[in-house]
Amino acid sequence: MQPSSQSLDQPILTAMALAYAGYAQRSAAWLEGYARAGGAVHCRSGCFHCCNLPIQVSLAEALLTAAALSTAQMQSMRRRAARVIQNAKSASDWNEYFQTHRAKVGYCPLLDVESGACTAYEVRPARCRDTFSALSSKFCEAGGMERLTRAERVAYNREVKENPATDGVSHYIAPLEELGEPIWEAASDAMRSAWGLEIWGDFWVLTTLTQDAAFMAAVRSGAAAQATRRAKALGLWHLEIVRIEE
């Protein structure tokens, strides 16, 4: 009897689950100290302004997410992946890709827009875990920054520079992003150990690719060129969207 795909990838799934658990502990400790010092996080349950951002993940993370999704959820991920690839092909630069992703590709299909809840919260990727705002969530809305008047932009820049939780450039909480770096390191180590290569890219595209037996067989054998050909054959390849590092 052939082992299941999930059992083949169990070391990677375990590594990512442990990495996420470690981040949960580190971030909770940091947030507790931040709150004691009078700091405020403007992210609340039901707020989903960031859920139409393009998200980059490792294939290791995508595997963990995919293992928990229903058939219907995976179908919605496939449809989303196709739109991501089309946007990448038509965009003239990163800024156009980014803006079109938010405006037209739209919200993540794992989001329940009515409640504002993620339907795959426990297996969400690192970027969804470490993105928090130190300022009003209005700045996270698509087009929110572009709509600021000159005076509002000056005030925003001043707030960002004065807030010790930011990097001085944007309103996102920098320490929480930095605390997520061990997740990336764990993903890199797990993929190298299991496959001899690393795969990084768009969340929805990689999650969809995990469901293709031929693609995953190539990955598990460390055949980067074969995996690339398979992704191209599936219409799920773009140099800016999928990166295979040998």
Side-chain angles (χ1 to χ4, degrees):
M1 179 180 293
Q2 294 294 320
S4 68
S5 59
Q6 189 161 339
S7 64
L8 287 171
D9 298 320
Q10 193 57 53
I12 289 179
L13 299 177
T14 299
M16 297 319 302
L18 290 172
Y20 287 159
Y23 178 76
Q25 293 179 338
R26 293 190 302 275
S27 61
W30 187 91
L31 286 166
E32 183 179 349
Y34 182 57
R36 284 200 305 268
V41 176
H42 291 262
C43 303
R44 297 287 184 272
S45 176
C47 177
F48 52 88
H49 291 319
C50 63
C51 295
N52 55 12
L53 289 167
I55 299 295
Q56 296 289 299
V57 303
S58 62
L59 188 62
E61 294 172 89
L63 277 168
L64 189 62
T65 299
L69 299 186
S70 68
T71 299
Q73 286 175 314
M74 189 56 69
Q75 289 173 344
S76 69
M77 295 292 273
R78 289 191 181 96
R79 291 191 293 270
R80 168 77 163 210
R83 294 200 299 273
V84 167
I85 293 294
Q86 182 56 47
N87 183 31
K89 289 179 177 179
S90 60
S92 59
D93 55 29
W94 167 253
N95 184 61
E96 182 182 349
Y97 171 81
F98 180 86
Q99 298 299 338
T100 302
H101 185 100
R102 300 202 75 181
K104 295 184 179 179
V105 177
Y107 289 109
C108 176
L110 300 179
L111 170 70
D112 180 344
V113 178
E114 291 188 4
S115 67
C118 175
T119 61
Y121 188 77
E122 295 302 320
V123 290
R124 69 199 188 282
R127 185 52 70 213
C128 297
R129 294 167 188 266
D130 67 16
T131 300
F132 291 85
S133 179
L135 302 182
S136 169
S137 62
K138 69 181 182 181
F139 297 118
C140 303
E141 294 181 45
M145 297 301 298
E146 291 78 8
R147 288 192 294 269
L148 295 180
T149 65
R150 180 177 296 182
E152 289 171 334
R153 170 60 85 166
V154 169
Y156 170 86
N157 289 339
R158 183 175 60 253
E159 282 192 81
V160 165
K161 288 178 181 178
E162 293 176 352
N163 193 310
T166 74
D167 61 2
V169 177
S170 81
H171 55 280
Y172 294 111
I173 298 179
L176 289 174
E177 294 184 356
E178 293 165 3
L179 288 174
E181 290 178 4
I183 298 177
W184 306 112
E185 294 167 2
S188 175
D189 291 345
M191 291 187 289
R192 285 286 173 189
S193 177
W195 307 327
L197 51 76
E198 299 176 36
I199 302 181
W200 303 84
D202 176 82
F203 173 47
W204 302 277
V205 171
L206 291 193
T207 303
T208 299
L209 283 171
T210 67
Q211 301 304 288
D212 185 74
F215 175 81
M216 288 306 304
V219 170
R220 293 185 186 109
S221 64
Q226 186 177 342
T228 299
R229 287 194 296 271
R230 182 57 182 167
K232 288 180 177 178
L234 293 168
L236 292 173
W237 177 264
H238 188 281
L239 284 173
E240 300 297 325
I241 298 300
V242 179
R243 303 190 316 279
I244 300 180
E245 303 173 5
E246 294 185 271

